Amino acid sequence: MDSHELQRLYLDLTTPHVADAVMRLGIPVRQAPAGLNALWSETHIVGRVLPAQHTGSVDVFLEAINNSCPGDVLVVDNSGRTDEACVGDLVTLEASQAGLAGIAIWGLHRDSRELRAIHLPIFSMGSLPAGPQRLDPQSKTAITHAQFGDFTVTADDFVLGDDDGLLAMPLERAADIAEVAVAIRETERRQASLMRSGTSLREQARFADFLSARESEGITFRQHLRRIGGEIEE
């Protein structure tokens, strides 16, 4: 699946809807650490993973970008370090001019004012003035694999990020995930509309019926929701 198709499928999908879809499909949930945030609000990013393991020099980013396709997302593995910034304005500008959809950093950034001016979507653990004071050996997998929190990503994955965080998912399941996420989104929108019209969530969820079924059958609320076609949790 190319970047244009990903953009079309995920343009109006949020990470919560997609996370629920991933769980419903039985796909492992791979979400970035909670401290990872977009540099500005209402950021939405989706694209194939372009991995890069940082070891102290920006050459790995330039090599990754050299092998990129427009719409990719540079996923930077800096081991979540908090003692150095690893991405600044020049790398960001290079990524933007190469047509990348954004950058996700398991680590820190700098040059915040310049990054806001470039306005390429960026997710980061935070900012720090100083860059690296080290130069470690580069792994043979430096531009093929990236560790990001508790999970590893490759070019076989794509990422979706917004104000709630960032998810990584298998590219081969992108269409399936989007289809289920759309269904979840539409059900929740319909429920919210009914609530604004005066029908409570308890009424819509037939909560009294659930309490009786829980007592007689031992079912969970999620099982009850599946029975009646409702949404609120996966």
Side-chain angles (χ1 to χ4, degrees), residues 10 13-19 29-47 73 75 103-105 121-125 148 151 158-169:
Y10 286 85
L13 287 172
T14 67
T15 52
H17 291 143
V18 172
V29 179
R30 293 182 292 168
Q31 52 191 346
L36 185 98
N37 295 300
L39 266 62
W40 45 83
S41 63
E42 297 187 12
T43 294
H44 186 276
I45 185 175
V46 62
V73 175
V75 177
I103 303 174
I105 311 162
I122 295 178
F123 286 76
S124 167
M125 303 292 292
F148 212 95
F151 58 86
F158 74 103
V159 291
L160 173 71
D162 59 18
D163 287 346
D164 287 307
L166 185 132
L167 295 168
M169 293 155 286

Side-chain angles (χ1 to χ4, degrees), residues 2 6-7 60 96 130 165 190 206 208 232:
D2 63 25
L6 277 175
Q7 290 285 346
V60 70
S96 178
R190 184 171 63 254
R206 294 191 236 163
I232 190 173

Side-chain angles (χ1 to χ4, degrees), residues 8 17 29 58 87 115 179-181 206 212:
R8 185 187 69 80
H17 291 143
V29 179
V58 300
V87 172
L115 298 190
E179 182 180 5
V180 174
R206 294 191 236 163
S212 297

Side-chain angles (χ1 to χ4, degrees), residues 172-188:
E172 65 179 7
R173 301 298 303 277
D176 298 336
I177 295 167
E179 182 180 5
V180 174
V182 166
I184 291 171
R185 181 195 67 197
E186 293 308 306
T187 299
E188 290 194 351

